[in-house]
Amino acid sequence: LFAKAEFDLSDQTLLTAWAQYIDRTSENGSVIPLTPEGNLVNVAGGRKAYLGYGNARSKLESYLGAIRLNHSFNEQYDLEITAYARHKKSDVVANFYDHYGFDAANNIFTVNGFSSPNDADQWFAEGIFTANYSNHTIKIGASYEHSTIDEVDLWSGQNGFTAECGFAFYSIQIDYSTGQVLNGDHSCFVRNQKLADDQGTNKFLGLFIQDEIELSDQLTLTLGVRYDSFKRDVDFASIEPFTDFQNIKDKADAFSPKAS
């Protein structure tokens, strides 16, 4: 869904506002094992059937709202300011095929159950001031972006590197002749066990100045320089065997000259 509106606040000022909503769901398919000779095995329901654990799919829901202000001071000077905010929620449920668990004699193939719900927020602002002098068009601008993401990794299946658990990593055994999960009642079978938990923040700052010089009716020289700064702060945890959150911080910056 998308909506947009424009408002003439005055003869020199235009306000534009828009909003967007996205709701998208995609099915994630399952696999058909191959024999060592490279032949497809016969599976319940044929090639279009889903044989797996849970409701494998990718889901995205996103909200965005934005405004833009254009103001003309006079024929020489203009200002444009843009800002938007977005919230995005996604959830991926997947079955990863484990070829080591393929047993053609007993109609069994194995997958690892995985899901990852994510929440992300982002807001962005940018301002550009334009000045026109004779054959020069000078633009001075700044932008700032702030984004956060919370991500969790959840795993399902028979898990444990012990004889009792079968030295398995979230293993789900499926009878491909019926689609039935065979080891769901195993004592080591877990559902949506948290294996990782991350929260990250990214910050971007940009500053630039540019001059477009009309050398002739057919030739324009553009000169400019841009400065960018990036900072990242992440708290992350591997739940097993680590339980305490750890932290990592990164930063970088750069000057970028431009001539064209």
Side-chain angles (χ1 to χ4, degrees):
L1 301 175
F2 181 81
K4 180 180 178 180
E6 293 184 348
F7 305 93
D8 290 314
L9 302 183
S10 70
D11 293 339
Q12 296 173 293
T13 306
L14 174 67
L15 178 67
T16 305
W18 64 97
Q20 182 184 59
Y21 172 73
I22 296 173
D23 187 355
R24 184 181 70 226
T25 301
S26 306
E27 294 179 340
N28 289 337
S30 57
V31 303
I32 300 178
L34 294 176
T35 66
E37 295 76 30
N39 300 317
L40 286 170
V41 301
N42 294 320
V43 299
R47 295 197 64 178
K48 293 186 177 180
Y50 173 75
L51 296 176
Y53 177 79
N55 180 23
R57 45 104 178 107
S58 299
K59 182 173 178 59
L60 169 67
E61 190 173 18
S62 175
Y63 304 84
L64 183 144
I67 58 171
R68 175 171 291 152
L69 182 71
N70 295 91
H71 179 73
S72 177
F73 296 96
N74 49 46
E75 293 183 355
Q76 266 191 316
Y77 303 118
D78 297 287
L79 177 65
E80 178 180 278
I81 298 175
T82 304
Y84 73 78
R86 181 179 69 178
H87 174 72
K88 184 171 69 173
K89 184 179 182 68
S90 62
D91 190 10
V92 176
V93 180
N95 289 190
F96 298 125
Y97 177 58
D98 181 1
H99 68 277
Y100 291 107
F102 176 51
D103 181 0
N106 295 295
N107 296 339
I108 295 174
F109 76 86
T110 301
V111 296
N112 311 120
F114 172 81
S115 68
S116 180
N118 296 285
D119 281 293
D121 290 288
Q122 177 188 37
W123 64 268
F124 171 86
E126 180 181 64
I128 301 175
F129 178 78
T130 304
N132 297 288
Y133 299 103
S134 181
N135 61 332
H136 292 265
T137 301
I138 300 172
K139 293 181 179 291
I140 302 172
S143 64
Y144 181 77
E145 179 180 336
H146 183 281
S147 63
T148 60
I149 183 169
D150 294 337
E151 179 180 7
V152 177
D153 288 350
L154 306 173
W155 291 82
S156 298
Q158 182 179 326
N159 183 60
F161 291 93
T162 63
E164 177 188 0
C165 295
F167 300 98
F169 179 79
Y170 300 101
S171 174
I172 303 173
Q173 296 176 342
I174 297 173
D175 184 337
Y176 57 76
S177 66
T178 64
Q180 180 183 3
V181 175
L182 300 177
N183 62 336
D185 295 331
H186 196 284
S187 60
C188 297
F189 196 100
V190 297
R191 291 168 175 82
N192 291 325
Q193 186 176 66
K194 186 186 291 186
L195 198 62
D197 191 345
D198 307 321
Q199 294 93 42
T201 300
N202 295 314
K203 299 177 182 179
F204 304 87
L205 171 66
L207 305 171
F208 69 90
I209 183 170
Q210 175 178 286
D211 187 9
E212 295 181 359
I213 309 167
E214 293 185 12
L215 301 180
S216 70
D217 293 340
Q218 296 175 306
L219 189 63
T220 300
L221 173 65
T222 302
L223 301 174
V225 65
R226 179 180 178 93
Y227 169 76
D228 288 287
S229 171
F230 166 74
K231 294 181 180 180
R232 175 175 57 184
D233 188 342
V234 180
D235 292 321
F236 63 96
S238 296
I239 304 304
E240 293 181 354
F242 308 106
T243 57
D244 295 331
F245 275 95
Q246 302 174 65
N247 179 265
I248 187 170
K249 294 183 179 181
D250 292 310
K251 64 179 180 178
D253 56 9
F255 282 94
S256 305
K258 175 181 180 180
S260 62

